[in-house]
Amino acid sequence: MTSTVHTLALSSGNLDVTVEDQGHGRPFLLLHGGGGPQTVGPFAGLLADERPARVVTPVHPGFNGTARPDWLTDVPTLARAYAHLLDALGLTDVTVVGNSIGGWIAAELALLGSDRISGVVLVNAVGIQVPGHPPTDVSLLTPAELSALAYHDPAKFAVDPSTLPEAARAAMAANRATLQVYSGPHAMEDPTLRERLTKVTRPALVVWGESDQVVDTDYGRAYAAAIPGSRFEPLHHSGHLPQLETPTELLDLIWEFTETQMTRRPTR
């Protein structure tokens, strides 16, 4: 696994993006949620080790101590940055996998219509508005309260910040502050996204941990219903972060989805 910094030239200015790159084979862009890149790190390793896959995992600028320029304040802009990253890396037939706000970014990437993207997998994604099923405003929760809502088995996966070094606690606080910036004025919702998703032309798989109380299963089904031709797959014994609680089951779903798209793709 290698970690590199790519400088992307965007219309708003230059952007440095730290990227972990591992494995060989079919390319995957793996987008983390508000908990930071550590929430997808083990799954990236699993995918790269267990399948012929090249897994590219960027750190959203502002997370884990990375720099975020003042002009980068929303998910659509970040999605455009990652489209530039795929250009810079020269990747094609990319499957984009995003969890939580990473799923929102993946949805915006799908809407850009890049020829480099072959499909998207949204894992307990946020971003749309569903009447009666708003995403939980995690900024109002203590870490213990968030864990109780996010995990099927909080006792197994929750982290007690009081047991962490001061530097780690500061990093967690900084990540939460960055998440607030990207989540926008509507607390993890874009009032326009659900309608815009009808224009997605890339194949999509929506995977949902059924025990999620941050964004519930009805929210997930509404996400899938908004994307033409998408498939919805619930995961038992899993909450908001299936890549941590049920990684093998998630891996199987993602790989089956990717193989299906490969077999359906016309010969060039």
Side-chain angles (χ1 to χ4, degrees):
M1 178 175 64
T2 59
S3 177
T4 56
V5 176
H6 294 266
T7 300
L8 308 175
L10 307 177
S11 59
S12 301
N14 288 344
L15 177 67
D16 289 338
V17 178
T18 300
V19 176
E20 299 287 348
D21 196 338
Q22 58 189 307
H24 303 277
R26 297 179 187 172
F28 291 81
L29 180 68
L30 183 58
L31 304 175
H32 67 79
Q38 62 270 23
T39 62
V40 297
F43 186 77
L46 180 69
L47 177 55
D49 290 342
E50 297 293 328
R51 298 290 191 276
R54 178 182 176 184
V55 187
V56 175
T57 311
V59 179
H60 307 327
F63 280 85
N64 280 26
T66 58
R68 179 188 59 80
D70 291 340
W71 51 262
L72 181 54
T73 59
D74 59 78
V75 167
T77 303
L78 187 53
R80 288 192 291 274
Y82 288 149
H84 280 267
L85 176 64
L86 296 182
D87 290 340
L89 294 174
L91 296 178
T92 57
D93 290 334
V94 179
T95 301
V96 182
V97 181
N99 170 238
S100 191
I101 198 170
W104 182 359
I105 300 166
E108 293 285 359
L109 262 171
L111 283 164
L112 292 176
S114 170
D115 289 338
R116 297 186 181 278
I117 296 172
S118 60
V120 295
V121 182
L122 311 182
V123 184
N124 291 76
V126 298
I128 64 172
Q129 284 188 337
V130 180
H133 300 272
T136 299
D137 188 350
V138 299
S139 68
L140 303 176
L141 303 178
T142 66
E145 290 170 336
L146 176 57
S147 294
L149 297 179
Y151 291 107
H152 175 79
D153 186 357
K156 184 176 180 181
F157 292 94
V159 175
D160 181 358
S162 67
T163 65
L164 300 176
E166 176 60 32
R169 293 198 298 272
M172 289 178 66
N175 284 351
R176 286 176 69 124
T178 300
L179 177 62
Q180 286 302 108
V181 172
Y182 286 129
S183 68
H186 301 285
M188 296 293 181
E189 295 178 326
D190 180 340
T192 73
L193 179 58
R194 191 174 179 183
E195 182 177 353
R196 289 190 290 116
L197 289 175
T198 61
K199 299 178 181 178
V200 171
T201 59
R202 296 293 181 269
L205 172 67
V206 179
V207 181
W208 223 262
E210 288 187 316
S211 298
D212 191 359
Q213 297 179 70
V214 177
V215 277
D216 63 24
T217 305
D218 286 340
Y219 186 97
R221 292 187 185 279
Y223 226 122
I227 303 173
S230 70
R231 193 173 102 225
F232 181 81
E233 289 287 349
L235 278 175
H236 307 302
H237 309 298
S238 190
H240 192 62
L241 297 95
Q243 71 273 13
L244 294 180
E245 290 198 278
T246 53
T248 300
E249 291 85 346
L250 178 61
L251 175 62
D252 289 344
L253 284 173
I254 291 172
W255 194 255
E256 183 271 335
F257 169 75
T258 304
E259 290 213 308
T260 298
Q261 304 320 310
M262 292 292 291
T263 57
R264 290 178 178 174
R265 192 167 301 142
T267 303
R268 293 173 179 171

